[in-house]
Amino acid sequence: MRTLTFAVVAASLVAAPAFAWQPTKAIEFVATAGPGGGTDNFARAVQAAIVKNKLLDQPIVVVNKGGGSGAEGYTYVKGMAGDPYHLVFGTSNTWQQPMVSKVAFKASDFTPIAAMVQDEFLLWVKQDGPKDVKEYLAAMKAKGSSAKMGGAQSKDTDELLTRMIEKTAGLKFIYVPFKSGAEAAVQLAGGHVDSHVNNPSESIGQWKGNTQRPICVFNAKRLAAGPKVTAAEGWSDIPTCQEAGLAIPLFQQPRTVWLPLKVTPEQVAFYVDLMKKVQATAEWKDYVEKSSQSQVFLTGQEFTDYMTQDSGRVHKVAEEQGWLVK
Amino acid sequence: MFSRRALEALTAAITGAFGIAVIVQSLDNGIGWSTAGVESGTFPFMTGLIVAAGSLYNLARGWLRGREIIVDRVAFRRTLALFLPAAVFVAAIPLVGMYVASAGYLLATLRMQSGLAWLRALAIAILVAIGLYVVFEWSFQVALPHGLLGAWLEH
Amino acid sequence: MENFDLLLHGFSIAISVDHVALMIGGVLLGILVGVLPGLGAPNGVSLLLPITFGMQPVSAIILLSSIYWGALFGGSVTSILFNIPGEPSSVATTFDGYPMARSGRPTQALATAFGSAAFGALVGVVLITCLASWIAGVALKFGPAEYFAVYFLAFSSFIGVGGAPPIKTVVSLTLGFAIAAIGMDTVSGQVRLTMGVDELVKGVNFVVAVMGLFGIGELLIAVEEEMHARAVSSRIDWREVFRTIASLPRYGWVLLRSAAVGCWMGITPGGPTAASFMSYGIAKRVSRRRDKFGTGEPEGIIAPETADHAAGTSALLPMLSLGIPGSATAAVMMGGLMIWGLNPGPALFIEQPDFVWGLIASMYLGNIVAVVLVLLTVPIFAALMRLPFFFIAPLIFIVCVVGAYSVSNSYLDVLLMMGFGVLGYLFKKLDYPLAPLVLAVVIGDKAEDAFRQSMLMSQGSLRIFVDNALVSTLVGLGFALLLVPPLARTFGRLRKRAA
């Protein structure tokens, strides 16, 4: 695998002069999240990989525009049509947010570059909470309509997944939206909610501290075995939700990169290639491993297909819940 | 020049208009209780009502008492002399960018209003613009607007 | 005592030539970004973050937290000298700091602010040292209902202390609430009150609002009243700095009370801004010199500054132990922690004792370095007051415009700031109080979120606010602060009539 990537990098390095376009001034990475958020870390990881390996001659500036759950950043870059010096870093929010919220952009306002990583979701309970998924489902059922699920933001991925769990398991949750996943994690540690569906990086510190633990992961297979997180367990010890008895086979959040509209195919090709090179660096691998995400590289038609498929799924749940903007 | 009555009315009109805009806008978001809890328009709606009602009270009270002049001609002229050039400066930013606009603004105010010698005013204006560039664009990598002029120069 | 040993160990890590050099560099950079409105500690921290990737985590966090200290101190400078608060938490410092500086005592105002700030920070660090694990536990007890109660307490301790016309106070307060509601709503995911301006989805930034209301508004008033004719004579006088610092212990009780308020608001999620307002409000209620407040009373500087820094310092604890950043700067630092491979959370103290206690030890040192450096700069800053008004006025305009723009690279923010400037002028001219508006802009939406989250959890029942001892005590205290003064006044009047 490693030799293969090296071969790809070598080939692309040789091919580099063939690019019809090269940046000639500083490039701005617009992160659609505040400092410290998942998307901010993503943009800064790409920046670090490029800077440390000198993949570009031009400086890169990361700008945080996290206002309006990221809508600020999208709207800002949308207005930069024809400018290949502004990249927006986001999530599936690019197509999901315009569906459920009256924001001034839509996915077709951007030129897709790539989806570079998929963040995982797990079901978390308090340390002294239900010991596995079966117990959890029974306990939530017993609570009736007062079972509480915490999450980051409203009508976003966390609530989407919550509503899917409700439907699959025949439960009813009070979904309590907080500003961030980290805040939801603290609320769970304090026992103010019963569970949440955080990404690994949002709750690993709490898991290490024995205030909460994951009971299943929303993926078709278990996560990669890294170093143990607690004395007894690591990520690969967590069963998939399907095998534990909650039939949601796969739920992930892609982290995506976009250019504004009206850029040339040469410019797009340049950035696609740049992101490919980023993925081959040690810094990037380190970022992916430490945040327990799964690396992907979707671009071109593949990316568009993925988007269409995911939009369909989101649209279905949003319609059932009555979230769609009129 | 301006009586207390006039200024009170102006301010109450501004806050009142804002209050009404808030009321109207929050109706779009829904008011009351839904399955998702307190609807998002409820709280702004209430604040809008209070702002509007309070503005009405302030308008009436301000109108009834206060015929005395609180901003005389001289004071008003001084305020305008400060505010108008600044407003022109702000309006010029999208055209000529932050650096040229602020240098021009300083040059104009220092020369015309304060009567500094041309050379001194020019030197200060250029130094400030360079200082801005060094601190923001160069060391903190905050790109200040370059305006249409900057876009034209780049081509 | 175990903590004490760990702290000594921490000192052995933190004290080295390299680290002290990092502290001095970090503090100076921090003072620079703190003094410039629009730039703040997050700018300095995120600028240096890439440099720290290659460092030891302890060295890196020492550098970054030194920027934090420098910026905390630097933020008060423009508040006091030009009435332009660079950060939300230094707004309350303008109430008495600016009048004192204007009346010809800028050196005393700055030295008072820095001295009490250093005291507040020190109390905060001592608290972290002694009670780290206990505090982490306390913070977990705060759910949405308790959050709301804390904000309510902050409001009720501050509202009603001013002598402004009541209806004007109400308009100012509710105007602030409405402004805070502009943009994306966390609880519903809906966009609110954008008035057809798409960019407003990001909300109205606080710094933009205060630079206009206070900075520009004050400038317009000053030019009209021909303030520049009354030149401020401020001789560069080092003795004045020492005299002021030496006189601080006279205000021992104010210092202690404000530090307590600050620590409390830092541990509970109220934050430094709420802390400084609350502390000012309480000081004004209980002080014997309450009539002098707002005219350059030292107590009016000591109270908010001490509380601000005590809260700012103790707010670093939730970041380390719970992974919730108490401020934007803490958020950037937390991003750094993750890049260095450390996970903030309850286990950090056990897993990385060298890192945590090295950091805590560096807080003591960093503060001392910061206060020494910043006191050295006092005469330089005070000398700024001697610049002629015709020169300083356009310069303030430029600094505010650039600052408003650089908050989020937005021209709209510049226009908003000018609008707020005119509003600030009108409000000041007509005795509308600005402070309630500012407080509402800062914590209004947080209070609303917490209230609505509580309502979700209780499914509409207000009983959630009296559900346990903690929340009912907080709510009760809030009502007491709100109702006692007017009741006492009415009662006093009745008694007088009877007699």
Side-chain angles (χ1 to χ4, degrees):
Chain A
M1 186 60 211
R2 172 154 289 194
T3 43
L4 185 74
T5 25
F6 269 117
V8 172
V9 174
S12 58
L13 280 178
V14 174
F19 280 109
W21 183 81
Q22 291 282 338
T24 55
K25 60 172 187 178
I27 297 170
E28 203 168 280
F29 283 7
V30 179
T32 54
T39 302
D40 177 55
N41 291 344
F42 167 50
R44 285 181 199 276
V46 173
Q47 178 201 27
I50 293 175
V51 172
K52 277 202 186 156
N53 295 285
K54 303 198 170 54
L55 300 180
L56 267 185
D57 301 333
Q58 301 299 335
I60 295 170
V61 187
V62 176
V63 178
N64 292 100
K65 285 187 168 286
S69 304
E72 180 192 2
Y74 286 115
T75 320
Y76 173 69
V77 173
K78 177 193 164 188
M80 302 278 173
D83 177 352
Y85 294 96
H86 287 84
L87 274 79
V88 61
F89 285 68
T91 58
S92 54
N93 256 346
T94 321
W95 55 86
Q96 188 171 334
Q97 210 181 2
M99 254 189 255
V100 297
S101 198
K102 265 191 200 155
V103 288
F105 71 90
K106 46 193 186 309
S108 58
D109 290 331
F110 305 96
T111 310
I113 298 296
M116 297 183 66
V117 75
Q118 291 272 15
D119 209 345
E120 305 288 347
F121 287 81
L122 295 103
L123 182 58
W124 300 81
V125 295
K126 205 169 167 229
Q127 193 67 22
D128 55 9
K131 92 175 178 307
D132 57 18
V133 173
K134 282 212 176 62
E135 241 180 57
Y136 170 78
L137 293 178
M140 292 305 111
K141 203 154 259 169
K143 284 200 160 201
S145 57
S146 69
K148 294 184 198 76
M149 178 78 93
Q153 312 290 352
S154 179
K155 297 172 190 165
D156 202 346
T157 41
D158 287 4
E159 186 169 9
L160 195 71
L161 180 54
T162 305
R163 299 306 173 203
M164 286 167 71
I165 298 172
E166 267 186 347
K167 207 171 167 209
T168 314
L171 295 171
K172 186 83 196 104
F173 282 113
I174 298 174
Y175 177 79
V176 189
F178 296 97
K179 279 248 186 286
S180 67
E183 226 175 274
V186 174
Q187 292 295 319
L188 178 61
H192 306 286
V193 293
D194 297 307
S195 54
H196 60 66
V197 287
N198 268 356
N199 304 131
S201 59
E202 290 170 327
S203 276
I204 183 172
Q206 299 284 347
W207 190 18
K208 278 187 181 167
N210 294 321
T211 69
Q212 54 204 267
R213 58 197 161 78
I215 52 175
C216 74
V217 55
F218 294 94
N219 196 326
K221 50 186 198 302
R222 293 186 178 202
L223 296 180
K228 288 227 178 303
V229 178
T230 63
E233 285 182 308
W235 290 113
S236 62
D237 296 311
I238 307 306
T240 68
C241 290
Q242 195 147 28
E243 72 179 83
L246 179 59
I248 296 174
L250 185 66
F251 192 92
Q252 291 176 314
Q253 179 172 44
R255 301 208 178 276
T256 55
V257 186
W258 313 73
L259 273 174
L261 285 183
K262 293 189 189 151
V263 289
T264 65
E266 290 80 25
Q267 290 161 349
V268 174
F270 172 81
Y271 282 113
V272 169
D273 181 68
L274 178 66
M275 294 306 153
K276 252 185 215 148
K277 286 180 196 159
V278 164
Q279 286 204 329
T281 63
E283 285 76 19
W284 174 261
K285 293 207 167 77
D286 196 48
Y287 158 74
V288 173
E289 193 192 306
K290 272 187 187 144
S291 54
S292 306
Q293 305 184 75
S294 311
Q295 177 161 322
V296 291
F297 197 78
L298 302 175
T299 188
Q301 191 58 41
E302 233 184 329
F303 189 12
T304 320
D305 289 346
Y306 175 83
M307 229 188 321
T308 318
Q309 187 200 342
D310 193 69
S311 298
R313 184 178 67 165
V314 175
H315 193 275
K316 194 165 149 265
V317 178
E319 196 166 31
E320 285 168 6
Q321 298 290 335
W323 293 347
L324 294 178
V325 285
K326 280 127 219 158
Chain B
M1 184 91 189
F2 291 112
S3 63
R4 173 173 284 272
R5 175 189 267 195
L7 281 193
E8 288 275 7
L10 173 68
T11 310
I14 295 175
T15 56
F18 183 77
I20 290 167
V22 168
I23 294 173
V24 173
Q25 293 244 316
S26 55
L27 287 174
D28 289 350
N29 291 105
I31 293 162
W33 178 266
S34 77
T35 48
V38 182
E39 284 201 90
S40 61
T42 316
F43 191 71
F45 181 74
M46 282 158 50
T47 58
L49 276 185
I50 299 175
V51 170
S55 304
L56 206 62
Y57 173 89
N58 287 334
L59 177 70
R61 197 182 156 90
W63 195 257
L64 291 178
R65 46 173 72 190
R67 296 185 173 241
E68 83 270 27
I69 301 290
I70 53 170
V71 180
D72 59 27
R73 192 172 294 274
V74 185
F76 186 61
R77 198 175 296 155
R78 273 200 217 107
T79 311
L80 277 192
L82 180 69
F83 190 75
L84 282 186
V88 172
F89 157 52
V90 168
I93 292 172
L95 299 175
V96 297
M98 188 70 85
Y99 302 110
V100 178
S102 49
Y105 168 59
L106 262 183
L107 180 65
T109 49
L110 291 184
R111 173 72 198 119
M112 316 277 189
Q113 293 181 344
S114 321
L116 248 66
W118 271 110
L119 214 59
R120 259 183 97 180
L122 191 68
I124 293 175
I126 291 177
L127 272 181
V128 167
I130 292 177
L132 282 182
Y133 181 83
V134 169
V135 172
F136 284 85
E137 201 116 353
W138 187 71
S139 51
F140 288 103
Q141 303 186 333
V142 175
L144 295 178
H146 299 165
L148 291 178
L149 183 68
W152 181 74
L153 283 178
E154 265 173 40
H155 272 288
Chain C
M1 268 308 90
E2 188 201 346
N3 281 358
F4 189 69
D5 292 339
L6 286 165
L7 180 66
L8 283 182
H9 176 61
F11 273 115
S12 71
I13 297 167
I15 300 183
S16 74
V17 177
D18 290 2
H19 284 163
V20 173
L22 281 179
M23 279 177 208
I24 293 175
V27 165
L28 287 177
L29 184 69
I31 294 175
L32 178 68
V33 293
V35 165
L36 291 169
L39 288 184
N43 292 83
V45 168
S46 61
L47 177 77
L48 289 191
L49 203 55
I51 303 173
T52 63
F53 293 159
M55 291 183 184
Q56 287 288 320
V58 182
S59 315
I61 196 84
I62 286 177
L63 176 63
L64 298 190
S65 59
S66 303
I67 296 177
Y68 184 73
W69 302 130
L72 269 180
F73 282 104
S76 316
V77 173
T78 42
S79 313
I80 290 175
L81 297 185
F82 304 115
N83 207 32
I84 312 172
E87 310 179 56
S89 54
S90 40
V91 169
T93 310
T94 63
F95 300 157
D96 277 283
Y98 181 68
M100 186 190 272
R102 285 266 21 141
S103 64
R105 293 175 290 160
T107 310
Q108 194 195 341
L110 286 171
T112 306
F114 294 149
S116 39
F119 177 79
L122 210 63
V123 173
V125 190
V126 170
L127 191 80
I128 290 184
T129 312
C130 304
L131 299 172
S133 48
W134 179 77
I135 288 167
V138 169
L140 283 184
K141 297 219 187 313
F142 283 75
E146 289 80 5
Y147 269 59
F148 176 75
V150 168
Y151 295 130
F152 177 63
L153 188 61
F155 272 113
S156 50
S157 59
F158 185 75
I159 299 306
V161 293
I167 298 297
K168 285 183 172 170
T169 308
V170 168
V171 167
S172 169
L173 181 73
T174 42
L175 208 60
F177 277 122
I179 291 169
I182 293 175
M184 181 71 77
D185 168 43
T186 311
V187 177
S188 68
Q190 279 184 325
V191 179
R192 301 192 296 189
L193 310 182
T194 53
M195 319 275 166
V197 182
D198 290 336
E199 203 192 318
L200 274 181
V201 68
K202 70 180 184 199
V204 174
N205 187 287
F206 169 83
V207 174
V208 172
V210 290
M211 277 201 294
L213 289 172
F214 286 78
I216 304 293
E218 176 60 34
L219 213 53
L220 294 175
I221 293 272
V223 67
E224 181 189 298
E225 289 170 3
E226 234 181 342
M227 262 197 183
H228 55 295
R230 285 184 264 139
V232 175
S233 69
S234 63
R235 290 208 328 278
I236 296 184
D237 189 355
W238 294 96
R239 271 170 313 175
E240 176 76 27
V241 176
F242 296 115
R243 251 203 313 275
T244 309
I245 296 294
S247 73
L248 274 184
R250 261 196 291 153
Y251 300 99
W253 166 234
V254 186
L255 283 165
L256 279 177
R257 186 190 57 225
S258 311
V261 169
C263 290
W264 158 252
M265 293 302 270
I267 300 161
T268 67
T273 310
S276 58
F277 274 93
M278 190 166 159
S279 178
Y280 186 89
I282 292 176
K284 193 168 176 184
R285 274 162 200 261
V286 303
S287 170
R288 230 176 290 139
R289 303 166 56 84
R290 72 185 75 123
D291 300 335
K292 296 269 192 305
F293 272 60
T295 61
E297 165 63 35
E299 279 185 43
I301 300 176
I302 295 170
E305 277 292 306
T306 312
D308 171 12
H309 283 236
T313 310
S314 40
L316 282 181
L317 192 71
M319 174 189 96
L320 293 171
S321 62
L322 299 171
I324 348 176
S327 66
T329 320
V332 183
M333 282 199 240
M334 223 174 75
L337 288 186
M338 290 186 193
I339 292 170
W340 306 320
L342 301 170
N343 293 301
L348 192 66
F349 281 79
I350 300 148
E351 271 186 355
Q352 304 281 350
D354 284 6
F355 172 80
V356 172
W357 290 100
L359 169 62
I360 293 178
S362 85
M363 288 180 176
Y364 285 94
L365 297 173
N367 258 307
I368 294 168
V369 171
V371 77
V372 169
L373 285 179
V374 87
L375 281 174
L376 288 178
T377 62
V378 164
I380 303 169
F381 286 124
L384 281 179
M385 293 292 280
R386 293 192 304 172
L387 288 173
F389 186 82
F390 70 78
F391 180 68
I392 221 72
L395 219 54
I396 290 179
F397 254 110
I398 291 178
V399 164
C400 285
V401 165
V402 171
Y405 180 83
S406 55
V407 165
S408 63
N409 292 4
S410 155
Y411 183 64
L412 176 70
D413 284 345
V414 177
L415 298 179
L416 280 176
M417 185 203 65
M418 295 295 275
F420 276 116
V422 175
L423 193 70
Y425 167 79
L426 288 173
F427 269 26
K428 210 149 186 194
K429 204 84 202 154
L430 300 173
D431 307 318
Y432 283 80
L434 284 175
L437 191 156
V438 168
L439 186 62
V441 170
V442 180
I443 59 178
D445 61 332
K446 291 185 198 156
E448 187 201 346
D449 282 352
F451 181 78
R452 286 164 61 202
Q453 283 161 353
S454 317
M455 286 295 98
L456 265 175
M457 295 175 76
S458 70
Q459 301 196 279
S461 160
L462 285 171
R463 282 197 29 205
I464 191 166
F465 296 116
V466 288
D467 231 15
N468 60 52
L470 178 62
V471 70
S472 33
T473 313
L474 288 173
V475 170
L477 229 90
F479 273 113
L481 280 171
L482 205 57
L483 298 178
V484 166
L487 285 182
R489 227 176 296 137
T490 326
F491 196 66
R493 220 176 289 148
L494 285 179
R495 244 200 347 212
K496 216 176 269 170
R497 205 171 291 165

